[in-house]
Amino acid sequence: MRERLPPLYALRAFEAAARHASFTRAAEELALTQSAISRHVRTLEEHFSCRLFDRQGRALQLTEAGRLLLPGLIEGFTALDRACSTLRVDDAVLRLKAPSTLTMRWLLARISRYRLASSAEVQLTSAWMDVDTVDFLHEPFDCAVLLSEGNFPPEWGSCELFKEWLIPVCAPEALGDKPWTLSRLKHAELLHPTPDRRDWRQWLQAMGLADQVSLKGGQVFDTLELGMVAAARGYGVSIGDLVMVAEDVALGRMGLPWPCAVPSGCSYYLVWPKARRGQERVERLRDYLLTDIAAVQLPPVEFASRKEG
């Protein structure tokens, strides 16, 4: 059997006082009086037969025993809060995390239309992520859209929205009257939407041009969005995502100098924790996004297979 634990209220009072280094601020956080916090801490000290704080006037400092006790309590109360949060659902708001480029190029417009069509409130948070991730235990989100190969934890639900197809993009006036040749591509200013230049590398490998077009030089950005914006403004040729540029191409705001799309091997997925309440809200958003993506008119392009290099 476990040894008798001290009262939970005493542990909570000590943890708050230690975090704030103040009985007064702990009392404000827990909606108690300062004297109540002091009594609870004294109860804990009597339980362990040691002092947990050194009191020097108004200054409050942890003793060695207090410093040993605090980390485990912070971890424990954090775990309790996480366990309880699965049952605390604000049915009025669906909290969604998504990468910044997808948000600006595709998702924001869909979420706006979804709000109008369903009267549902979606709180969209756009985040720059070198590798798309979400931590449902520590981040305040009910669902997320991630670019991934689809290997998600078993406790997550997931739905593929669309595959990522890489394709060169440029300003409309840079297209010219004739299809681009290899020579023109070799002399073009390549814009790299990732510091490791992996997008151009993948496209060139799939096209069999990796040994003929140099990846040296050119401007380097840290998001797909910045590369596509720079290309649309005439600063060179970047790699874009076919679905995300479809509307700009149709409206003549962007051109496709080499209309051949290459799969990156990743897709955009809607993901969510299965154990959390309010699953029907995520399912309604999922169905709306799937219906919307099914109606997207892609530009006429060729689709190449992916080659590893």
Side-chain angles (χ1 to χ4, degrees):
M1 294 180 61
R2 292 181 180 177
E3 295 184 10
R4 184 175 66 88
L5 292 174
L8 184 62
Y9 63 80
L11 292 170
R12 189 56 157 162
F14 165 75
E15 186 268 345
R19 258 191 302 109
H20 293 297
S22 166
F23 282 179
T24 301
R25 293 179 63 187
E28 293 172 354
E29 177 182 315
L30 301 179
L32 297 172
T33 64
Q34 183 177 343
S35 61
I37 295 293
S38 181
R39 286 196 308 272
H40 294 334
V41 170
R42 191 160 54 249
T43 296
L44 204 58
E45 290 177 329
E46 292 173 356
H47 178 89
F48 289 118
S49 300
C50 65
R51 293 177 61 117
L52 298 174
F53 289 107
D54 283 328
R55 301 164 181 82
Q56 300 176 354
R58 292 187 176 182
L60 196 64
Q61 292 185 337
L62 286 169
T63 64
E64 180 63 25
R67 286 193 292 272
L68 289 173
L69 180 61
L70 181 60
L73 290 183
I74 292 177
E75 182 179 349
F77 282 116
T78 299
L80 285 173
D81 186 66
R82 286 201 305 266
C84 294
S85 70
T86 61
L87 299 181
R88 290 196 303 261
V89 175
D90 183 355
D91 291 331
V93 180
L94 184 66
R95 300 165 301 175
L96 170 65
K97 178 183 182 182
S100 55
T101 296
L102 179 77
T103 296
M104 296 304 298
R105 287 280 164 180
W106 186 79
L107 189 58
L108 185 59
R110 274 75 189 173
I111 294 300
S112 297
R113 292 200 291 266
Y114 177 68
R115 286 174 177 152
L116 293 174
S118 65
S119 299
E121 182 57 35
V122 180
Q123 185 181 82
L124 174 59
T125 298
S126 172
W128 180 87
M129 296 175 280
D130 183 44
V131 178
D132 291 3
T133 59
V134 64
D135 184 345
F136 289 120
L137 291 179
H138 297 94
E139 295 182 282
F141 302 114
D142 303 303
C143 55
V145 178
L146 305 177
L147 180 64
S148 170
E149 294 180 350
N151 300 317
F152 301 117
E155 62 269 21
W156 289 11
S158 65
C159 172
E160 184 185 56
L161 298 176
F162 60 89
K163 298 183 185 301
E164 182 182 48
W165 288 90
L166 304 176
I167 193 166
V169 295
C170 66
E173 54 270 21
L175 287 176
D177 298 329
K178 299 179 180 179
W180 273 43
T181 62
L182 176 58
S183 175
R184 188 172 181 185
L185 182 63
K186 289 170 66 174
H187 290 90
E189 177 80 1
L190 299 189
L191 306 176
H192 301 279
T194 50
D196 61 7
R197 306 170 190 246
R198 63 179 177 269
D199 295 316
W200 267 115
R201 184 175 293 107
Q202 285 186 359
W203 188 85
L204 291 170
Q205 286 173 349
M207 298 299 298
L209 302 175
D211 297 331
Q212 301 183 62
V213 178
S214 174
L215 291 177
K216 296 180 180 179
Q219 299 299 313
V220 178
F221 304 95
D222 58 6
T223 68
L224 208 63
E225 170 68 10
L226 291 176
M228 289 189 288
V229 169
R233 292 181 178 179
Y235 294 108
V237 183
S238 184
I239 288 290
D241 176 272
L242 182 61
V243 172
M244 294 189 207
V245 302
E247 183 177 344
D248 284 320
V249 171
L251 295 176
R253 296 191 295 243
M254 191 174 289
L256 303 179
W258 200 300
C260 190
V262 169
S264 71
C266 294
S267 297
Y268 285 98
Y269 290 88
L270 179 67
V271 298
W272 62 93
K274 294 177 182 177
R276 194 164 298 176
R277 291 172 51 196
Q279 297 291 302
E280 65 281 355
R281 299 176 305 149
V282 179
E283 292 169 358
R284 286 194 294 269
L285 176 62
R286 175 201 64 195
D287 294 344
Y288 182 88
L289 294 177
L290 288 175
T291 299
D292 185 279
I293 193 65
V296 170
Q297 296 293 317
L298 296 178
V301 300
E302 297 180 7
F303 292 92
S305 58
R306 185 180 180 220
K307 295 180 182 178
E308 301 291 344

